[in-house]
Amino acid sequence: MSGKAFLLVFILASSLSFLLEEALELLDFKSRKKNGGTVPKELFGYVDSKLLKKTAAYEDENYRLSVPARILSFILSLVLVLSGYYVAVYRQLSLATGNIYLTAILFFLLASLPETLLSIPFAFKREFDIERRYGFSNMTLGMWILDGLKALVLELVIFCPLILLAVFLLLYLPGGWWILLSAVYIAFSLALGFLYPVLIAPIFNKFTPLEMQELKGRLEALLDKTGFQSQGIFVMDASRRSRHSNAYFTGFGKNKRVVLFDTLLDQLSVDETESVLAHELGHYKLNHVIRRLAAAIPLTVLFLLAVSMAVKIPSLYTSFGFAPETSIVLDGERRAETVLPYIHFIGVFLCGLVAAPFSPLFSLVSNFFSRRDEFQADAFSAETCGRSRSLVTALIKLHKENLSELTPPKLYSVFKYSHPPLLERIRALGKAGQP
């Protein structure tokens, strides 16, 4: 590759990704302006134009806030690269610490700092202005700051050991580090999923066993019927922070548990809650989680394999202003220049930088399979509960309570929605053959 090839790929991909994002959001905005107050025939009697206009206004406010956020983030990403910020940070840390492990940890922290600082005022306005004015946020300033600090400490505890291990492998196993790191990363992700319900989630929220006897009896019978073994059914105090609602199951093995937001219990009937849980159990019974994991493992291995080859290429570093030491190796009859391992962790960072703008393409594929799984889980719920109407009404209520958009443009939902739009789910459930 030529000396600036990686930089050109980064700039071009970042620009195209930014333009695509803006085009999609503008398409959605214009669609709301045109159709935001029109009630679809499937929702007659459930929603009115007043609610739809409020939903459109809520979505519009988030859109107007996101535009400057995306523009500034795009500009910042180019400035950090073109100004030599990353190069300067690495040089100063190398001189100041004299230790590659400490340099690596501090580099990754300082590399992410500008974007983190930029996001804070936008997150603050969204939480304490938009979310509060539309009746969602119950967050206090102290709680918001404490949540941020908890998240920061948690990220340090989780990722610092991984960074240290990665640097060690890059130094002492330059030819095959990607194999061992893939195995460690996969094992670490599984362990994190196992420990999340009992160690991590309680850091932010309180979980109490479900006490509503009628609902508890129905849900426990549903768990028995589907063969889902868990620690139990827990209610999360989501309302301390927000009026948004959800339900999910989490964990692996004996640490699996069903979690219902307390806001969900306030909004749905017993039948509706049972149907929502049956949908979540559908993901378990239909092996969606296992299938996603089975797909993620080879993708992780292939990505790290590609990274392991790229970090040896001098132009990856020189494109972004780094000047790594190199050595000459024999590749058959050809002499090749390769980068010494001491700076390979910078190469890993630069690979992530170049790959990041391609995330819309990855999302396009990921969302396709995710939406397919959601349709299957809906059908499982209808079949298991012997009815589809309670899931339909539950979905409508959840969209109403969360002011979720009901009729996004097809192109927008393809790129942005991991779940099918509401009307698509209602129509699919109408074909399920259940009353």
Side-chain angles (χ1 to χ4, degrees):
M1 278 194 172
S2 63
K4 295 295 182 182
F6 285 99
L7 177 62
L8 293 176
V9 169
F10 167 75
I11 293 174
L12 180 61
S14 296
S15 301
L16 292 176
S17 177
F18 169 74
L19 292 174
L20 175 62
E21 184 80 8
E22 291 305 311
L24 289 172
E25 293 296 340
L26 182 60
L27 173 67
D28 191 38
F29 175 73
K30 288 185 174 180
S31 176
R32 284 195 301 272
K33 288 298 182 185
K34 182 179 180 181
N35 305 310
T38 303
V39 180
K41 64 178 185 298
E42 293 91 343
L43 300 180
F44 285 164
Y46 292 102
V47 300
D48 55 28
S49 60
K50 181 179 179 181
L51 175 69
L52 294 187
K53 289 177 181 178
K54 181 180 179 181
T55 298
Y58 173 68
E59 294 288 342
D60 288 348
E61 291 222 38
N62 280 295
Y63 167 71
R64 293 188 184 97
L65 181 63
S66 70
V67 170
R70 285 192 299 271
I71 292 174
L72 291 176
S73 179
F74 171 64
I75 294 172
L76 178 63
S77 67
L78 296 183
V79 168
L80 292 176
V81 168
L82 299 177
S83 68
Y85 171 79
Y86 299 122
V87 177
V89 168
Y90 171 70
R91 286 176 179 168
Q92 292 300 317
L93 290 175
S94 297
L95 292 173
T97 66
N99 182 289
I100 189 172
Y101 297 101
L102 185 56
T103 295
I105 289 176
L106 293 177
F107 175 82
F108 281 102
L109 286 174
L110 292 176
S112 63
L113 183 61
E115 183 69 35
T116 300
L117 293 177
L118 176 63
S119 69
I120 289 175
F122 292 100
F124 182 88
K125 180 171 177 57
R126 180 174 291 107
E127 183 67 47
F128 292 101
D129 182 10
I130 298 175
E131 292 291 296
R132 182 154 295 177
R133 279 192 290 109
Y134 283 85
F136 289 122
S137 179
N138 295 320
M139 187 81 75
T140 65
L141 179 60
M143 189 186 301
W144 189 73
I145 293 173
L146 185 59
D147 280 355
L149 292 175
K150 287 179 180 178
L152 175 61
V153 172
L154 193 59
E155 288 178 8
L156 292 175
V157 170
I158 291 174
F159 290 110
C160 282
L162 284 177
I163 292 173
L164 293 175
L165 175 63
V167 172
F168 176 83
L169 294 176
L170 286 163
L171 284 174
Y172 296 104
L173 196 62
W177 63 266
W178 58 276
I179 301 174
L180 188 54
L181 188 60
S182 296
V184 170
Y185 178 78
I186 292 165
F188 187 82
S189 298
L190 292 174
L192 202 60
F194 180 78
L195 295 175
Y196 177 83
V198 293
L199 290 184
I200 298 176
I203 295 175
F204 296 93
N205 289 98
K206 183 178 179 181
F207 297 82
T208 56
L210 177 65
E211 295 181 351
M212 301 167 65
Q213 292 305 311
E214 179 187 1
L215 178 60
K216 183 179 179 180
R218 290 274 292 273
L219 298 187
E220 287 179 343
L222 179 62
L223 294 178
D224 290 339
K225 182 178 180 179
T226 56
F228 186 84
Q229 301 295 321
S230 73
Q231 278 192 335
I233 304 168
F234 292 84
V235 178
M236 189 181 91
D237 62 339
S239 60
R240 288 184 59 235
R241 292 173 173 82
S242 173
R243 197 167 58 81
H244 290 295
S245 53
N246 201 0
Y248 63 92
F249 74 83
T250 184
F252 291 112
K254 66 178 183 180
N255 276 354
K256 293 198 302 291
R257 60 169 58 180
V258 175
V259 176
L260 307 173
F261 285 24
D262 57 357
T263 48
L264 184 96
L265 300 180
D266 292 336
Q267 296 165 5
L268 303 186
S269 69
V270 172
D271 281 352
E272 290 166 342
T273 305
E274 182 185 35
S275 292
V276 168
L277 179 57
H279 167 93
E280 297 301 328
L281 292 173
H283 290 304
Y284 163 73
K285 291 294 291 184
L286 299 172
N287 297 316
H288 292 162
V289 176
I290 294 176
R291 288 210 314 248
R292 290 174 192 175
L293 182 62
I297 289 174
L299 290 175
T300 299
V301 174
L302 288 174
F303 177 74
L304 289 178
L305 172 60
V307 170
S308 73
M309 294 185 287
V311 297
K312 299 176 182 179
I313 302 173
S315 61
L316 172 63
Y317 303 85
T318 56
S319 284
F320 292 92
F322 291 89
E325 297 178 70
T326 62
S327 63
I328 302 297
V329 297
L330 293 178
D331 184 10
E333 297 181 357
R334 187 173 65 90
R335 292 162 61 86
E337 187 180 19
T338 186
V339 175
L340 296 182
Y342 77 94
I343 200 174
H344 281 183
F345 77 88
I346 293 293
V348 174
F349 169 77
L350 295 176
C351 285
L353 207 63
V354 174
F358 293 93
S359 60
L361 298 181
F362 302 141
S363 295
L364 188 65
V365 176
S366 173
N367 288 344
F368 171 82
F369 290 104
S370 177
R371 288 193 299 271
R372 181 199 63 183
D373 290 349
E374 293 301 323
F375 281 127
Q376 292 177 357
D378 282 351
F380 177 88
S381 174
E383 181 180 354
T384 301
C385 295
R387 61 182 185 275
S388 60
R389 176 50 50 185
S390 57
L391 181 58
V392 168
T393 56
L395 293 172
I396 293 172
K397 284 183 180 180
L398 291 176
H399 276 71
K400 288 170 58 177
E401 294 294 338
N402 290 304
L403 294 181
S404 299
E405 199 165 5
L406 302 181
T407 56
K410 181 66 176 180
L411 183 62
Y412 182 83
S413 66
V414 164
F415 274 94
K416 307 289 287 186
Y417 278 34
S418 62
H419 287 51
L422 175 63
L423 293 185
E424 291 184 20
R425 297 178 74 173
I426 291 176
R427 289 162 185 161
L429 283 166
K431 299 175 183 177
Q434 299 291 343

